[in-house]
Amino acid sequence: MSDTSLKQILARDPGEREFHQAVQEIIETVKPVLDRHPEYHRFGILERITEPERLIMFRVPWVDDEGQVRVNRGYRVEMNSAIGPFKGGLRFHPSVNISILKFLAFEQVFKNALTTMPMGGAQGGSDFDPKGKSDEEVMRFCQSFMAGLSHHIGQDTDIPDGGLGVGAREIGYLFGTYKKQRNEFSGVLTGKGLGWGGSYIRPEATGYGIVYFAKEMLATRNETLKGKTCLVSGSGNVAQHTAEKTIDLGGKVLTQSDSSGYIFDPEGIDKEKLSFVKRLKNIKRGRISEYIDKYSGAIFTEADRTLDYNPLWNHKAECAFPCAFEGEIREKDAHNLINNDIKLVCEGADRPLSSEAVRIFLDNKILYAPGKAANAGGVAVSGLEMAQNRMLLNWSAEEVDQRLKTIMKNIHRASLDAAADHGEPGNYLVGANIAGFIRVVNAMLDQGVV
Ligand code: NDP
Ligand code: 2IT
């Protein structure tokens, strides 16, 4: 692809910063593949793969507890269905817009391809902020959101799941509305409750998978997580289960955070303390600062958005797992981590590192994994949930966990092999992008210009 056509792709949607960054990264890293395959250019692969197959946008009106009418926006970006029906999460957060969802959906295409399961890529969501809303408000919002979305999805068409701001509670309300509207009990959503079609280990899968991936990375240097100090950001689904599996494997977790700040516990967050965090965030829906009221040895530091670094990443540790939000490790954070002798940086969230931070870790030969490889365990177990729904049965937790371990091992191997094959040994970013890209592109070529 020439620079001119990249410019043309980007110029079509000016201002879509997040999407442009994701496209540019893929195009740069898959260049060795493009050079080997001139037919990709002839069949317009890059022009097609960067254009959503369908983009749905709808009004989401709902009534708050004071009787006021509120209006949010709902979206679903159906990016690519070359290898299977559209599949990917939903995000409810005030920052949600088309650019962010196009970036997430674009990443999802390659992430899902890495699992080798038949799942295309999509992402959706709303600019609704669940924080501070009552359960009833969240329910009314979810019902209206699904009323707008239900006619565009289905178990053979598009299967959403949760994501940032969308957990078990929201999936329950969304599923209830879909079932009522369509008169159909199907596997249209994943992340369902265990008693009504959900899979064991789906809530844990993203975090557990991240740690299984990190374990594989460390093994390439004959190391393990045992005794390693670890910084984990976030305190939601991904952060909690990343911390849990790290503790299981003998690591020492020092931090958790939310949008208001972070806690540092020099003695380590053990299983009991983590149960407190889970209750605090999942049931009480409280703030992470409340941790220090219970565990006085820990310190809380309030978030300061005027800083160009995050002090969470300035503690000495061997492993870093950013599991909260995009762009949370910037250039200065990367330097701070390296000055503190970091060994491994494994992305739990979707693109939590700035491009500069990625470059710094790669230049310094730090073990670095991109989210699309490391956090693919979540969507992989969603795929297993779909398989179980089709068979009308439930595998045991042990069976799902075993399959998850194998999938993460395979993604790790495929990323390393693709990196080595294309002259970048040990570069998981290049390897994951190429391995995912090749699978999707081969399917697109087989299916003609559609
Ligand atoms: P949750 O909503 O469960 O948790 C999100 C966490 O991030 C919360 O602790 C939240 O704090 C914190 N957070 C939100 N915004 C900011 C911010 N601006 N600065 C700092 N912290 C912030 O979401 P998940 O754990 O599910 O998702 C986390 C990341 O992982 C996202 O990037 C998501 O796309 C990605 N992901 C999720 C998967 C899943 O299966 N759930 C699968 C793969 C990727 P607060 O409580 O204050 O809002
Ligand atoms: O970003 C992600 O991979 C998810 N939010 C999970 C998607 C899914 O369909 O399980």
Side-chain angles (χ1 to χ4, degrees):
M1 138 152 295
S2 67
D3 287 349
T4 327
S5 21
L6 172 60
K7 275 200 194 112
Q8 277 165 356
I9 291 173
L10 301 184
R12 253 186 156 171
D13 302 293
E16 293 188 356
R17 187 172 53 86
E18 295 84 359
F19 178 58
H20 288 182
Q21 275 174 4
V23 168
Q24 250 164 326
E25 180 205 281
I26 286 283
I27 291 181
E28 273 167 32
T29 49
V30 303
K31 193 168 177 309
V33 183
L34 301 175
D35 292 344
R36 278 189 205 173
H37 293 278
E39 72 275 18
Y40 289 2
H41 179 59
R42 195 152 55 85
F43 287 99
I45 288 294
L46 289 182
E47 288 77 3
R48 285 192 287 143
I49 212 167
T50 51
E51 190 68 19
E53 286 184 33
R54 193 176 298 113
L55 196 157
I56 300 147
M57 181 169 157
F58 48 98
R59 177 168 71 199
V60 189
W62 56 283
V63 180
D64 70 17
D65 286 346
E66 272 72 55
Q68 294 276 324
V69 173
R70 308 270 201 112
V71 180
N72 285 99
R73 275 189 189 160
Y75 307 88
R76 186 73 177 163
V77 181
E78 297 183 332
M79 190 56 95
N80 193 300
S81 64
I83 60 171
F86 300 109
K87 177 83 196 91
L90 295 171
R91 172 179 287 198
F92 293 167
H93 191 270
S95 65
V96 161
N97 58 34
I98 289 180
S99 171
I100 289 179
L101 291 178
K102 277 174 69 179
F103 124 65
L104 287 169
F106 189 66
E107 294 276 302
Q108 196 81 39
V109 172
F110 307 105
K111 183 192 300 193
N112 293 4
L114 281 169
T115 68
T116 74
M117 297 164 101
M119 301 184 293
Q123 278 266 352
S126 174
D127 59 356
F128 173 74
D129 187 359
K131 221 177 289 150
K133 303 288 190 300
S134 68
D135 278 352
E136 292 73 18
E137 288 178 320
V138 170
M139 181 176 74
R140 287 194 292 274
F141 171 80
C142 288
Q143 290 172 336
S144 180
F145 181 86
M146 186 49 91
L149 186 63
S150 66
H151 296 284
H152 304 283
I153 60 176
Q155 65 172 353
D156 298 314
T157 322
D158 183 354
I159 306 97
D161 193 292
L164 192 119
V166 181
R169 171 182 63 170
E170 289 75 17
I171 292 291
Y173 297 147
L174 293 166
F175 185 78
T177 303
Y178 181 88
K179 180 164 61 75
K180 180 167 178 174
Q181 279 202 320
R182 303 287 294 265
N183 191 22
E184 172 191 303
F185 195 114
S186 71
V188 62
L189 293 167
T190 56
K192 301 186 288 299
L194 262 182
W196 42 278
S199 173
Y200 282 108
I201 308 291
R202 175 60 191 93
E204 295 85 357
T206 309
Y208 282 15
I210 289 160
V211 180
Y212 296 151
F213 196 94
K215 187 177 162 221
E216 295 296 321
M217 293 169 82
L218 286 167
T220 64
R221 297 195 180 169
N222 294 320
E223 297 204 44
T224 69
L225 265 172
K226 202 165 173 54
K228 292 230 166 25
T229 43
C230 301
L231 305 173
V232 179
S233 66
S235 52
N237 173 280
V238 178
Q240 290 169 14
H241 296 106
T242 297
E244 185 164 285
K245 190 49 73 179
T246 300
I247 300 166
D248 279 348
L249 298 186
K252 185 173 178 187
V253 177
L254 299 172
T255 55
Q256 290 272 288
S257 71
D258 65 16
S259 53
S260 53
Y262 78 95
I263 58 104
F264 173 74
D265 188 336
E267 283 156 23
I269 301 170
D270 59 18
K271 280 288 183 73
E272 186 229 300
K273 293 173 178 174
L274 188 61
S275 301
F276 171 82
V277 172
K278 285 185 180 180
R279 277 196 308 278
L280 174 69
K281 298 305 286 188
N282 306 352
I283 297 166
K284 212 176 141 216
R285 299 190 188 273
R287 310 309 300 152
I288 200 65
S289 55
E290 294 170 50
Y291 183 97
I292 60 164
D293 302 337
K294 171 102 174 148
Y295 302 109
S296 55
I299 302 158
F300 173 71
T301 305
E302 205 174 316
D304 179 352
R305 299 200 200 289
T306 63
L307 299 176
D308 61 353
Y309 69 100
N310 180 348
L312 187 156
W313 306 116
N314 203 12
H315 292 279
K316 191 165 178 60
E318 292 156 294
C319 304
F321 294 97
C323 297
F325 210 66
E326 47 267 22
E328 55 171 319
I329 294 187
R330 290 166 286 174
E331 193 171 346
K332 207 161 177 179
D333 300 307
H335 286 303
N336 287 340
L337 286 163
I338 285 176
N339 291 339
N340 280 317
D341 296 325
I342 197 80
K343 292 192 156 112
L344 170 142
V345 179
C346 190
E347 291 188 345
D350 291 309
R351 288 181 79 86
L353 269 60
S354 69
S355 310
E356 296 76 26
V358 171
R359 178 55 39 214
I360 291 165
F361 293 128
L362 290 176
D363 287 349
N364 283 275
K365 304 280 179 234
I366 306 298
L367 286 171
Y368 157 70
K372 69 168 73 65
N375 73 27
V379 74
V381 173
S382 290
L384 299 179
E385 182 171 329
M386 288 160 66
Q388 293 168 81
N389 290 165
R390 296 283 181 171
M391 293 186 291
L392 296 172
L393 55 76
N394 266 99
W395 290 323
S396 66
E398 293 70 32
E399 167 138 26
V400 178
D401 197 27
Q402 195 49 50
R403 285 175 185 265
L404 172 63
K405 280 183 191 156
T406 306
I407 291 167
M408 297 316 298
K409 237 184 163 129
N410 291 344
I411 296 176
H412 177 267
R413 175 51 43 210
S415 305
L416 272 190
D417 287 351
D421 278 357
H422 293 87
E424 295 268 2
N427 185 330
Y428 290 92
L429 178 70
V430 165
N433 285 349
I434 289 182
F437 183 79
I438 288 177
R439 181 153 191 258
V440 176
V441 169
N442 284 342
M444 289 175 75
L445 286 176
D446 288 345
Q447 293 169 24
V449 178
V450 289

